[in-house]
Amino acid sequence: MQPDLRVLIVEDVETEAELAVRQLIADGLRFSHRIVAGEVSMREALHTFAPHVILSDFTLPGFDGLGALEIAQIEVPEVPFIFLSGTIGEERAIDALKRGATDYVLKTRPARLGPSIRRALREVEERERRRLAELRIRENEQRLRDIIDTSQDWIWELDVNGRFMFSSESVRDVLGRSPEELGELQFQQLIHPDDRTAFAGALATLDVERHTAIGVTARWMHSDQSPRWLEGNLLALFSAEGRVTGFRGTSRNITERRQQQERIARLTRVLQMQSGINAAVVRIRHRDELLREACRLAQTVGGYEFAMVSLVDPDGRQARPWHHTGTRRDLVVPKQFAIGDGTDADSSLTGLALRTGELAISSNLNQSEPPVANRAQLLAAGFRSLVALPLIVDGARIGVLTLASCSADLLSTDEIRLLQDIIANLSFALQYRQKEDTVQFLAYFDPLTGLAKRSLFCERLGHLLKRSTDIAGKPLVVAFDIDQLSRVNDSFGRLVGDLLLQRVADRLKFHFEDDERIGYLGNGAFVVMLTSPKTSGDSATSLLHNTVFRDVFNIEGHPLRVSCRSGVARFQIDGEDGGTLVQKAEAAMKQAKEAGEQSLHYHVKMHSEVSERLALEHKLRNAIDERQFVLHYQPQVNVITGRIEGLEALLRWNDPDEGTVSPAKFLPLLESSGLIVPVGEWVMRQAADDSRHWREAGIGPLRLSVNVSALQVRRRNFVEHALSVVRDTFVDGCGVDLELTESSLLQDLDGTARKLRELRTQGVRIAIDDFGTGYSSLGLLSSLPVDILKIDRSFINGLPADRGSMTLVSSIIGLARAFNLTVVAEGVETQEQLDVLRGMQCDLSQGYLHCRPLPLEQIEERLPRIGASRHSA
Ligand code: C2E
Ligand code: CA
Ligand code: CA
């Protein structure tokens, strides 16, 4: 028991009070006490003495026990008040207890006093404990309420039917709604349709065993109709019998994190799409295939639900959808998109992109700007954003890649930058693909007539020869030449001559139907192959006369009657491959012209040169031993500075009988007899000697280039030999370079590339000679170790009048720039040509304009001296 129990005794009779004190001591209580008899002293004691228990007599003079009780109840309601009285009757006792007394003890039974006080104190203690407990509970409740009210998370409760029973205030922030509003609703009404089933499913799995679910995500609809990603922890509520009575949950807004994740995932996909497209650019040669692949990658890898390429019409006024891929097959694509000039509002994103040449974006299709064709349909199909990327090739806007996505506002600046990179790569690739196509086209087709050139015609003829096994089915080749062409050119000008050739070509196409059977050999000569077994050479010729040349040609108001002379060659007698057959038809045609015949068949006699050939071969073998070969040198001049930077070594034969013979006369024989190998080795050695000689004489720096035949390259010890010859010519910008034709590069491509690579490591540079006449393609250039492109003379010849040549030459120079190659123009004869080439940024020029090939002694005086500031050829 507490030692400082304070007892207040309200008693007017001192002995009575004394008795009570004794009784308490007798009961073993340790306490202090104060005795008061009146109202004033009692009030005072209540405050100064602060009793734990009050004992009061019932009858007091001028102030009774009930009055004391009233005072105590007001002043210290929690302190037990016990009546101690001798006169109390049953009724008054009950009344006293009703009024709040704790107990009453009769003075006649003092033994009850101790236990009564103890009980009262226990009750006080008990009450205090309960008060404290209640206080704690209230505090806890308040704390929880505070937590709920201040939480960013939304806390809610549902009944078993999914109706909201409670919602924290934070729902205002999270979903833009008030808790009261929610009272009317079921949760399904707030969840995105696509997520309803999953969320209801998560609730349904909760039971007594597993009554919580953590991290359940779903999209809830904000009052502004846009979805919010909420991540929630769910808890099932149970009745005493274990029945689910409802659910409680806390949900957190993770929209931003989610969007961030989605953005990153999207960026990753677009990055993968970029690397896919870059790989395709390298791998795919054909423009259409490349564009299709880009669409496919945008959809499957880039994750755009729809990808489309639209191409601009030739008139440039509208673009039309050309290819599209997408998961929404039902989507109706507009037939065309108008490209405005800015005076009227654009009607489509495609039109806008093409008009401005910039990427155009609608990052939220719900908004009415920028213009989007078929906006309503796109929205109905589920699309939310659209981007149009213009494809720009050579400065021209050729089309648009359109990408659509089902998510809005996700086009981050990073993604846009990536898309711009992708479209730039694609445009670049298309640009070079287009140049390459032009190069390829002009290499194979005559731009004037649109017909196959010799090489393509021969190739096609060769295929045909291989395909038809029986001799009767082998084709017949007719070459013919327009008699009056040079007269037409002279009288009416080149233009009329060109138009005439075009009209002849048109009529040929019309009468022979299959364009692949017709070729143009140049200089007014055409060639056709005829496969019908019934066609004889004569009927073929009369066919020409009766169809193509029957009617007068009317060109620019000039009625022109034209005829031709033809030569015919047939396979079974006359030749093996396409090239030979065509040559024979040409030989016969030439013969016909000389003989004044309309048409001649090829005849073996026309080749009576065979014996001449043998004699020549004999002389050439001699020439090596007799040192009759010499080198002439022709300068290569820097187009800008006019300085001689290199010399090409050209072979000449000093025939004791005929004087200086040009290679055209003897090279074919050197090649076919294999003599080119020792002669070629001599050329290289001589050039290396001359290079050293000039350097020692203070001339240069100069690079000498020598022509190398395919036969030489093919030799096993080619690299070894070449290096032993040119070894110490490579000093200070001097050295010996090799020129190879495309066809010699193409034989054994891998082996040749390996050899050339080895030579390059030792300072030898490699030039492709006669570029444009063969099969060179972008792919080839990138895979071959090449430093220099020499544009064939035939193209330079056409500058600047001939449009085809202009395009081809500028395309080749563009290609060369892309691959970091030096460009040399061959056969430059006029100042006009040089000016055009300078404009096209050609590097070097070689031709009669600067200097004809000259012997060593004569060329020397024109060469720059080391240290001299500037020399011109
Ligand atoms: P190429 O390699 O294309 O040599 C350029 C030819 O164009 C040279 O003819 C040159 O004289 C001629 N040329 C240069 N400028 C002009 C011009 O402004 N107008 C015209 N119409 N022609 C010009 P060339 O010397 O008769 O050589 C003919 C071809 O013989 C060479 O063509 C080359 O393929 C081959 N060749 C010459 N020397 C050698 C050699 O040492 N080895 C091998 N394998 N071939 C050689
Ligand atoms: Ca050459
Ligand atoms: Ca050449």
Side-chain angles (χ1 to χ4, degrees):
M1 186 123 312
Q2 57 271 65
D4 52 350
L5 175 67
R6 291 185 297 277
V7 181
L8 179 66
I9 301 170
V10 186
E11 178 63 78
D12 58 332
V13 183
E14 209 163 303
T15 48
E16 293 284 334
E18 202 57 39
L19 271 175
V21 169
R22 291 233 179 104
Q23 185 59 47
L24 291 182
I25 292 169
D27 281 345
L29 288 167
R30 296 204 289 121
F31 64 98
S32 58
H33 72 278
R34 188 178 288 185
I35 299 167
V36 292
E39 184 181 337
V40 176
S41 54
M42 177 181 169
R43 283 188 193 278
E44 194 265 338
L46 287 180
H47 289 113
T48 56
F49 183 60
H52 292 110
V53 62
I54 301 168
L55 301 180
S56 175
D57 192 5
F58 212 81
T59 50
L60 297 162
F63 153 69
D64 67 0
L66 288 179
L69 176 61
E70 211 173 301
I71 292 168
Q73 293 235 290
I74 290 167
E75 300 283 331
V76 286
E78 69 285 0
V79 175
F81 191 100
I82 298 169
F83 278 115
L84 181 65
S85 174
T87 55
I88 199 163
E90 185 89 348
E91 235 165 85
R92 294 178 75 189
I94 290 170
D95 186 36
L97 290 176
K98 268 189 188 157
R99 287 174 190 232
T102 311
D103 200 359
Y104 69 88
V105 176
L106 290 175
K107 288 178 180 170
T108 47
R109 298 178 63 185
R112 269 200 66 228
L113 190 57
S116 174
I117 287 178
R118 283 204 176 84
R119 192 178 63 237
L121 289 173
R122 260 202 315 278
E123 275 173 8
V124 167
E125 213 175 299
E126 181 63 25
R127 221 180 303 128
E128 179 65 8
R129 217 182 17 249
R130 214 175 307 132
R131 194 183 63 81
L132 284 175
E134 272 168 16
L135 188 67
R136 218 169 292 129
I137 287 170
R138 263 199 306 279
E139 276 174 5
N140 270 343
E141 265 176 9
Q142 188 57 44
R143 194 175 298 128
L144 282 175
R145 187 152 305 121
D146 289 349
I147 290 173
I148 289 174
D149 286 348
T150 56
S151 168
Q152 303 277 327
D153 292 357
W154 171 40
I155 297 157
W156 46 263
E157 206 173 298
L158 301 175
D159 71 6
V160 71
N161 296 317
R163 227 187 314 272
F164 280 98
M165 304 303 288
F166 170 80
S167 163
S168 65
E169 285 292 318
S170 49
V171 72
R172 292 181 197 275
D173 284 341
V174 177
L175 296 180
R177 300 170 196 268
S178 68
E180 298 75 45
E181 230 177 296
L182 256 54
E184 318 276 301
L185 298 173
Q186 283 189 306
F187 78 88
Q188 286 94 332
Q189 292 165 279
L190 288 183
I191 291 193
H192 191 280
D194 293 353
D195 294 350
R196 265 177 216 157
T197 325
F199 191 79
L203 291 178
T205 56
L206 300 181
D207 55 26
V208 184
E209 257 100 78
R210 192 177 158 275
H211 60 281
T212 58
I214 306 289
V216 177
T217 56
R219 276 164 295 171
W220 294 69
M221 301 312 290
H222 192 273
S223 60
D224 70 6
Q225 295 310 317
S226 66
R228 295 293 135 92
W229 279 101
L230 301 190
E231 182 181 75
N233 297 336
L234 313 180
L235 170 75
L237 306 173
F238 299 100
S239 67
E241 305 84 60
R243 247 182 329 105
V244 174
T245 57
F247 305 95
R248 197 174 282 153
T250 58
S251 296
R252 171 164 299 182
N253 187 350
I254 55 160
T255 311
E256 215 164 279
R257 182 171 48 148
R258 191 76 187 213
Q259 284 179 349
Q260 189 72 20
Q261 283 170 347
E262 248 164 64
R263 233 175 256 138
I264 290 171
R266 234 172 113 136
L267 274 183
T268 313
R269 288 200 298 268
V270 177
L271 262 173
Q272 283 165 346
M273 160 181 163
Q274 185 185 39
S275 73
I277 289 184
N278 285 348
V281 160
V282 175
R283 175 167 49 86
I284 299 174
R285 306 245 61 86
H286 199 270
R287 183 197 81 164
D288 293 1
E289 203 188 322
L290 179 61
L291 287 175
R292 268 189 221 111
E293 176 69 357
C295 283
R296 192 189 69 80
L297 287 167
Q299 193 212 327
T300 56
V301 181
Y304 296 95
E305 282 84 358
F306 180 79
M308 173 169 83
V309 168
S310 310
L311 295 179
V312 175
D313 276 359
D315 67 7
R317 292 222 298 271
Q318 60 262 322
R320 287 174 206 278
W322 170 79
H323 176 73
H324 61 89
T325 57
T327 43
R328 308 287 196 281
R329 289 253 163 245
D330 46 330
L331 185 71
V332 181
V333 171
K335 288 218 163 9
Q336 62 182 51
F337 304 102
I339 307 166
D341 54 7
T343 48
D344 290 321
D346 297 292
S347 58
S348 68
L349 214 56
T350 302
L352 176 64
L354 284 168
R355 181 173 61 76
T356 57
E358 311 266 336
L359 161 150
I361 303 173
S362 169
S363 53
N364 187 350
L365 282 174
N366 278 308
Q367 290 159 3
S368 60
E369 275 298 313
V372 169
N374 274 21
R375 185 192 303 279
Q377 279 179 313
L378 287 165
L379 280 169
F383 294 110
R384 290 295 172 268
S385 57
L386 200 66
V387 49
L389 303 143
L391 290 160
I392 300 175
V393 172
D394 250 351
R397 294 155 198 176
I398 66 145
V400 167
L401 173 64
T402 309
L403 304 172
S405 164
C406 290
S407 36
D409 292 322
L410 283 175
L411 276 167
S412 64
T413 40
D414 287 334
E415 182 170 343
I416 290 170
R417 206 169 309 127
L418 271 177
L419 287 174
Q420 275 168 332
D421 283 353
I422 291 176
I423 207 74
N425 285 353
L426 211 51
S427 293
F428 180 84
L430 292 177
Q431 180 160 334
Y432 284 97
R433 216 58 101 240
Q434 195 175 58
K435 283 207 193 308
E436 189 190 23
D437 285 349
T438 320
V439 171
Q440 290 261 358
F441 179 82
L442 292 172
Y444 287 115
F445 292 92
D446 173 62
L448 181 66
T449 58
L451 292 173
K453 282 188 183 175
R454 178 191 299 270
S455 61
L456 179 61
F457 181 85
C458 291
E459 200 180 299
R460 286 173 172 169
L461 180 58
H463 282 306
L464 202 65
L465 287 171
K466 273 191 214 120
R467 234 185 313 143
S468 50
T469 42
D470 80 301
I471 292 230
K474 299 271 186 191
L476 189 77
V477 176
V478 182
F480 61 93
D481 193 298
I482 298 170
D483 285 336
Q484 295 82 356
L485 184 63
S486 49
R487 203 136 29 87
V488 170
N489 278 338
D490 291 346
S491 328
F492 306 112
R494 273 293 288 266
L495 177 70
V496 174
D498 285 353
L499 288 172
L500 172 63
L501 287 170
Q502 277 176 345
R503 299 291 261 287
V504 171
D506 290 346
R507 287 194 192 173
L508 277 170
K509 288 178 204 167
F510 178 75
H511 289 291
F512 284 81
E513 278 168 8
D514 188 354
D515 289 4
E516 300 206 346
R517 300 287 162 87
I518 316 167
Y520 183 64
L521 299 171
N523 291 323
F526 294 82
V527 61
V528 294
M529 51 180 122
L530 301 162
T531 44
S532 162
K534 290 191 294 292
T535 322
S536 68
D538 296 330
S539 60
T541 321
S542 57
L543 187 73
L544 282 175
H545 290 290
N546 295 332
T547 56
V548 178
F549 295 106
R550 195 189 62 194
D551 294 333
V552 169
F553 290 89
N554 212 319
I555 291 159
E556 303 269 283
H558 307 290
L560 302 174
R561 183 165 292 283
V562 179
S563 60
C564 74
R565 293 185 195 273
S566 57
V568 183
R570 186 183 277 282
F571 167 76
Q572 72 263 44
I573 342 169
D574 306 326
E576 300 291 357
D577 64 11
T580 335
L581 209 52
V582 171
Q583 265 174 18
K584 287 177 176 171
E586 272 182 297
M589 173 183 81
K590 231 181 268 166
Q591 198 74 34
K593 279 204 277 194
E594 279 165 17
E597 299 277 346
Q598 193 101 81
S599 176
L600 279 181
H601 283 243
Y602 174 79
H603 204 274
V604 194
K605 249 200 281 170
M606 289 171 184
H607 246 198
S608 62
E609 307 110 43
V610 175
S611 50
E612 284 172 33
R613 231 182 76 164
L614 283 173
L616 184 60
E617 197 178 313
H618 179 73
K619 280 179 88 174
L620 284 171
R621 284 184 192 283
N622 241 5
I624 302 178
D625 304 333
E626 303 286 329
R627 298 176 172 269
Q628 290 167 356
F629 288 113
V630 290
L631 287 183
H632 283 192
Y633 286 102
Q634 187 179 31
Q636 295 175 344
V637 173
N638 184 310
V639 169
I640 310 277
T641 65
R643 185 189 161 89
I644 297 180
E645 297 197 344
L647 296 170
E648 177 174 3
L650 293 159
L651 187 60
R652 298 287 179 268
W653 174 29
N654 285 328
D655 180 359
D657 307 325
E658 314 235 343
T660 306
V661 183
S662 87
K665 294 248 166 61
F666 60 87
L667 262 177
L669 206 64
L670 287 184
E671 293 268 355
S672 63
S673 61
L675 281 171
I676 190 67
V677 174
V679 175
E681 287 180 353
W682 172 84
V683 170
M684 222 185 278
R685 221 175 311 120
Q686 187 60 47
D689 286 348
D690 292 346
S691 168
R692 274 187 288 267
H693 157 75
W694 278 324
R695 202 178 63 239
E696 282 154 17
I699 290 171
L702 278 178
R703 304 211 52 124
L704 300 196
S705 32
V706 296
N707 295 284
V708 175
S709 140
L711 276 177
Q712 287 172 268
V713 181
R714 246 188 285 157
R715 311 264 307 176
R716 201 172 312 129
N717 63 356
F718 171 65
V719 173
E720 212 179 317
H721 174 264
L723 286 181
S724 75
V725 170
V726 301
R727 179 150 299 133
D728 38 63
T729 59
F730 299 104
V731 185
D732 301 334
C734 301
V736 175
D737 301 328
L738 305 184
E739 292 188 7
L740 287 89
T741 59
E742 294 168 60
S743 50
S744 62
L745 280 168
L746 284 171
Q747 300 174 1
D748 180 25
L749 192 59
D750 293 342
T752 308
R754 189 173 35 74
K755 287 177 182 172
L756 297 184
R757 228 167 258 132
E758 205 176 327
L759 285 170
R760 271 170 112 215
T761 63
Q762 303 302 313
V764 178
R765 294 187 312 174
I766 310 297
I768 301 190
D769 209 351
D770 307 341
F771 188 80
T773 56
Y775 301 82
S776 297
S777 69
L778 185 71
L780 186 67
L781 286 183
S782 57
S783 66
L784 273 175
V786 169
D787 308 276
I788 301 160
L789 285 192
K790 299 191 74 177
I791 306 178
D792 190 62
R793 200 167 62 221
S794 58
F795 301 117
I796 304 301
N797 206 9
L799 300 185
D802 179 54
R803 283 252 321 277
S805 304
M806 286 290 279
T807 316
L808 185 94
V809 172
S810 79
S811 299
I812 292 178
I813 294 175
L815 259 182
R817 295 225 158 268
F819 287 99
N820 253 330
L821 305 178
T822 303
V823 190
V824 184
E826 293 188 317
V828 178
E829 294 185 350
T830 68
Q831 185 62 40
E832 210 181 2
Q833 289 167 348
L834 182 65
D835 292 340
V836 169
L837 289 163
R838 192 181 296 119
M840 291 176 175
Q841 294 188 296
C842 181
D843 301 299
L844 296 170
S845 163
Q846 178 182 355
Y848 293 170
L849 174 68
H850 311 289
C851 185
R852 287 182 177 263
L854 293 173
L856 184 85
E857 316 76 56
Q858 288 175 40
I859 200 77
E860 214 168 272
E861 57 206 43
R862 298 170 175 254
L863 297 180
R865 305 262 147 194
I866 292 171
S869 61
R870 195 180 145 154
H871 265 237
S872 178

